[in-house]
Amino acid sequence: IAMTVAPLVQAADYLIDTEKAHAFIQFRIKHLGYSWLLGRFNDFDGSFSYDDADPAASTVEVTIRTASIDSNHAERDKHLRGKDFLDVDKFPQATFVSTGFTENDDKSAVLTGNLTLHGVTRPVTIDVKHIGHGADPWGGYRRGFEGSTSLKLADFDINFDLGPAAREVELFLSVEGIRR
């Protein structure tokens, strides 16, 4: 049986389901060290490839429209889009392209790749958990992951100073892909 099933298992390509809002890129950063500022990016897209038989061959590509930053406060969002932070007129997109994927026995994994943000490209590491996969009610097939990482703003030439507690931003990613 294993010999007949094995050839059927192969890498599958998935489109990240942003259209139906089943994917999220959220962030939090300390505000002056007294509380958390939470937000998200509302406009992004991407794809990934995952192979059950060879997870190390997995790939991910994501593009974020930086002007879509949303912290639930219009004036703050205007500031975040400006030259002090994202400078969205000059840098309208951030991109992530994976360079490696290492899966552990418990289905946790480490995703490595290059993040281009604010005109600077740097390697980043994302801790990943495989949420699940299977057929959906509409005849498709889905696979989901979540991940988290922290970025030092100065590493991406974002140097607006809100104090030492606000120099790092935490990212949380929840991704559901629809197999193509």
Side-chain angles (χ1 to χ4, degrees), residues 66-69 74 77-83 86-89:
T66 54
S68 73
I69 195 166
D77 292 345
K78 184 178 175 183
H79 188 212
L80 293 173
R81 290 181 188 112
K83 291 183 180 185
L86 295 175
D87 198 358
V88 301
D89 290 334

Side-chain angles (χ1 to χ4, degrees), residues 2 4 28 34 53 111 146 149 166:
T4 59
R28 75 179 193 165
Y34 306 127
L111 175 65
E146 69 178 22
T149 191

